[in-house]
Amino acid sequence: MSTATTIQVRPATLRDAKAIAQIHTASAQAAYKGIVPDESFRPSTVEKRQAYWREAIEYCEPQVHVAIDQDKIVGFVGFDRSRDEKSRPTTGEIWAIYAAPTHWDQGVGLALWDAARDGLSEEGCTSVTAWVPLKNERALRFHELAGFKREMNTAKTAIVGGVKVEEVRLARPLA
């Protein structure tokens, strides 16, 4: 079993886009099992996600970092200023944070969160938010252990794999 000390985090490069897309798809499929139909995660999903993450890496929107364990990418985080229209300019957002299911509960998420927190602080952010599906108990637990609090008055419906999924914003100060 891996420990947090073996996890290294670095900014993503264009070469990382395929591994990021594969982790994004595999992790989402595992996290949404029984919530979103399995056919929502076809091979074309990986190709679309690869194109999305390539563009994100190229244009730094969001900033993307990868977690490495023994020379293998095992997770990623995308972070930047908040996309919420009414948020303050000093509010950052975790756009996405995923670890490969084979590396869940091994410190990958924490290493990625630490990197995103440092990056957002360097950008002048004083608080951070994340949108998490209410049925994704693992993600809710992770964010709450990292000090995020649910803002229940922000609940909204998103479409994930053709299925309506309720999401809630979580927030915390960066300091």
Side-chain angles (χ1 to χ4, degrees):
M1 183 197 274
S2 223
T3 64
T5 57
T6 66
I7 304 299
Q8 302 295 317
V9 178
R10 63 164 171 77
T13 66
L14 290 174
R15 274 185 215 175
D16 300 331
K18 184 174 183 180
I20 290 169
Q22 290 168 334
I23 288 168
H24 192 179
T25 302
S27 185
Q29 188 172 20
Y32 294 113
K33 189 111 181 117
I35 299 169
V36 174
D38 287 343
E39 52 271 11
S40 300
F41 302 101
R42 297 182 293 279
S44 62
T45 304
V46 174
E47 292 167 10
K48 287 178 185 171
R49 287 187 173 155
Q50 182 176 352
Y52 172 86
W53 289 113
R54 251 187 100 69
E55 187 173 305
I57 293 164
E58 185 173 357
Y59 296 105
C60 293
E61 191 174 335
Q63 296 179 57
V64 182
H65 284 65
V66 292
I68 310 290
D69 184 21
Q70 300 178 3
D71 298 325
K72 183 177 181 196
I73 295 174
V74 295
F76 73 96
V77 62
F79 61 93
D80 212 328
R81 301 281 176 176
S82 175
R83 295 172 288 182
D84 295 332
E85 289 180 15
K86 296 180 181 179
S87 68
R88 295 181 171 172
T90 56
T91 302
E93 180 182 347
I94 302 295
W95 291 26
I97 185 166
Y98 288 89
T102 56
H103 282 71
W104 283 355
D105 301 318
Q106 295 184 30
V108 174
L110 182 59
L112 290 165
W113 159 239
D114 286 345
R117 183 179 57 210
D118 291 348
L120 289 168
S121 292
E122 287 173 17
E123 294 288 324
C125 293
T126 58
S127 63
V128 61
T129 63
W131 286 93
V132 179
L134 283 169
K135 289 189 176 183
N136 189 338
E137 294 174 18
R138 172 178 289 280
L140 287 169
R141 190 170 52 252
F142 170 81
H143 284 84
E144 289 170 346
L145 287 171
F148 285 79
K149 303 282 184 235
R150 295 181 196 195
E151 297 180 332
M152 292 308 291
N153 62 335
T154 64
K156 67 179 184 179
T157 302
I159 304 297
V160 179
V163 175
K164 291 181 180 181
V165 176
E166 294 298 315
E167 292 183 324
V168 65
R169 186 173 63 203
L170 290 87
R172 66 157 281 167
L174 276 174

